[in-house]
Amino acid sequence: MTVQEQIEQYIAAQPEPKQSEMRELHDMMLALMPACQLWFLDGKDEKGKIVSNPNIGYGSRSIQYASGKTREFYQTGMSANTTGISVYILGIEDRKYLAQTFGPDLGKASVTGYCIRFRTLADIKVDVLKAAIQCGIEQTGISH
């Protein structure tokens, strides 16, 4: 199964209205990063144990760990969670930046160092979310 097929299957498995909202976000991510690498992580570790929600990733960047080891990972991503949707914006060095810059204008959302979590798109200002994603893409210095 291709990554695109895995993504489609994951989105199709979500209940409405989450399914439609994830499709809208997926289309928005692809519009922001039209030639990006797509990722699908099923949330399982190498032993098959569930360690996170499945998630869809967009773009590619190198992550360097304290040990010196590096690996490729996505720039932005999203996943369904029990109460709504999470959008991940990776690569922003300042862990307070997202919350301070976009949090006040976003609407009903929880904003951490790299994650924006909300129940439904109706609870947030989608244009502010889009600006936050675009900002994250620009800060990583990797264009797509």
Side-chain angles (χ1 to χ4, degrees):
M1 188 181 311
T2 68
V3 171
Q4 289 90 340
E5 289 169 336
Q6 289 175 306
I7 291 169
E8 176 53 37
Q9 189 175 64
Y10 174 61
I11 293 173
Q14 302 305 314
E16 286 295 352
K18 192 180 294 186
Q19 182 183 136
S20 295
E21 293 188 354
M22 288 187 74
R23 284 190 200 289
E24 184 177 334
L25 287 169
H26 180 65
D27 290 344
M28 182 177 73
M29 297 281 204
L30 292 176
L32 289 170
M33 304 169 70
C36 72
Q37 177 180 343
L38 290 174
W39 301 67
F40 181 76
L41 304 172
D42 64 7
K44 297 177 184 172
D45 67 10
E46 57 278 345
K47 296 175 186 169
K49 181 181 174 191
I50 296 174
V51 294
S52 71
N53 290 325
N55 53 91
I56 302 166
Y58 307 86
S60 183
R61 60 186 286 275
S62 286
I63 297 176
Q64 184 162 2
Y65 296 96
S67 67
K69 179 183 169 193
T70 61
R71 78 170 185 144
E72 289 299 306
F73 202 66
Y74 58 74
Q75 286 176 279
T76 62
M78 74 169 168
S79 71
N81 59 55
T82 54
T83 60
I85 299 171
S86 296
V87 173
Y88 309 104
I89 303 172
L90 307 176
I92 297 175
E93 297 296 324
D94 181 352
R95 291 290 183 201
K96 296 177 183 175
Y97 184 81
L98 278 178
Q100 291 174 344
T101 306
F102 300 100
D105 300 321
L106 194 55
K108 288 176 60 179
S110 166
V111 185
T112 65
Y114 65 91
C115 180
I116 298 173
R117 192 173 296 118
F118 51 91
R119 263 188 208 282
T120 175
L121 288 175
D123 288 346
I124 65 165
K125 293 180 181 169
V126 176
D127 59 329
V128 176
L129 176 64
K130 186 176 181 178
I133 294 166
Q134 186 65 50
C135 181
I137 294 166
E138 290 168 4
Q139 283 200 24
T140 61
I142 303 167
S143 60
H144 294 278

